[in-house]
Amino acid sequence: MQTVLITGANRGLGLEFCKQYSAAGWRVLAVCRCPDDAEALLTLAADSDRVKVLAADIADFGQIDALAAELRGTPIDVLLNNAGVYGDRSGHGFGNLDYSTWLDTLTINTLAPVKLAEALLPNLQEGQRKLIVTVSSLMGSMTDNTSGGSILYRSSKAGVNAAMKSLSIDLAPQGIGVLILHPGWVRTDMGGPNALIDADESVSGMINVIDGYTPAQSGSFLRFGDGKVMPW
């Protein structure tokens, strides 16, 4: 049985990843900040002995270290960095930026995925797939940015893209791969009701890309579903 660790597992894409991976026979380590409030996730775990719910606020790096200690000796095939925040708010664009929120956004979206990779590296080394997957966004692309705005979110996703590209090179000698995924515009709490696709379509498409991963793709920024290379 292969094992995937999923952050932000209590709702949206994270919860859907848990559903689809557990249904496919994977062992799922579902990480969220407040498990007691994660009713849908707890229900899923109660119905499947393949889902284990773990508590960790990934904005608190001490809690990431505690999570790694709890999982010491547990092989992880895929580390799936899904948790993220948007940060930008109406009325707080350039000229009135909320720098404290920007720091929080960078911590969760950019720094935490790297910290998780560091803390859980021994687990990945013991796994079979040895793959780090980060859910990013096309909004992190410089090339695609023709509308401006969303400075907090765009910069955090551009940052994690750059960091993951570096990890793909640094970890290659250990046989550990890195994928950066664009999930599409998804109808979730973050994506909003006007988005183009539902979470199940996005997640099934991303899992299809993950399943088809080859070492030559490590460090690539790929679109859900068809694996198309996205612009940086």
Side-chain angles (χ1 to χ4, degrees):
M1 185 183 298
Q2 296 191 89
T3 299
V4 57
L5 185 143
I6 301 166
T7 63
N10 58 309
R11 62 182 182 177
L13 295 178
L15 180 61
E16 186 62 31
F17 270 121
C18 292
K19 291 177 179 178
Q20 293 196 26
Y21 268 118
S22 61
W26 284 58
R27 182 187 185 202
V28 176
L29 303 175
V31 178
C32 63
R33 184 174 55 183
C34 301
D36 290 344
D37 298 329
E39 184 176 342
L41 179 59
L42 291 175
T43 298
L44 178 65
D47 292 339
S48 173
D49 59 3
R50 291 188 292 272
V51 179
K52 180 178 182 179
V53 180
L54 299 165
D57 180 352
I58 65 165
D60 182 337
F61 290 1
Q63 291 192 34
I64 293 179
D65 287 332
L67 175 68
E70 182 179 354
L71 294 174
R72 186 174 291 119
T74 301
I76 293 176
D77 293 284
V78 177
L79 166 59
L80 209 166
N81 291 306
N82 164 75
V85 294
Y86 182 64
D88 295 275
R89 293 177 294 142
S90 178
H92 287 272
F94 182 73
N96 193 30
L97 288 170
D98 183 335
Y99 286 90
S100 176
T101 299
W102 195 352
L103 286 171
D104 292 341
T105 302
L106 289 167
T107 296
I108 294 169
N109 291 359
T110 311
L111 278 65
V114 179
K115 173 61 178 176
L116 282 155
E118 276 193 318
L120 297 172
L121 183 60
N123 307 80
L124 287 162
Q125 290 168 332
E126 295 177 20
Q128 295 180 5
R129 292 292 302 279
K130 295 179 171 60
L131 185 59
I132 299 167
V133 178
T134 296
V135 178
S136 184
S137 170
L138 188 57
M139 289 184 72
S141 167
M142 315 292 183
T143 303
D144 187 70
N145 185 0
T146 59
S147 61
S150 300
I151 290 175
L152 281 61
Y153 188 69
R154 288 186 186 279
S155 63
S156 71
K157 290 301 186 179
V160 79
N161 287 0
M164 290 296 141
K165 175 62 178 179
S166 284
L167 284 189
S168 73
I169 297 167
D170 297 342
L171 297 177
Q174 300 180 48
I176 295 174
V178 178
L179 275 181
I180 310 160
L181 298 181
H182 169 54
W185 185 16
V186 190
R187 283 184 285 269
T188 61
D189 289 346
M190 184 186 295
N194 297 320
L196 300 178
I197 59 173
D198 289 323
D200 59 346
E201 180 182 352
S202 172
V203 168
S204 63
M206 286 190 282
I207 289 177
N208 181 61
V209 175
I210 294 167
D211 286 346
Y213 165 78
T214 64
Q217 293 175 306
S218 189
S220 298
F221 182 26
L222 305 179
R223 184 181 186 272
F224 78 101
D226 58 11
K228 176 184 175 182
V229 176
M230 305 305 290
W232 287 91

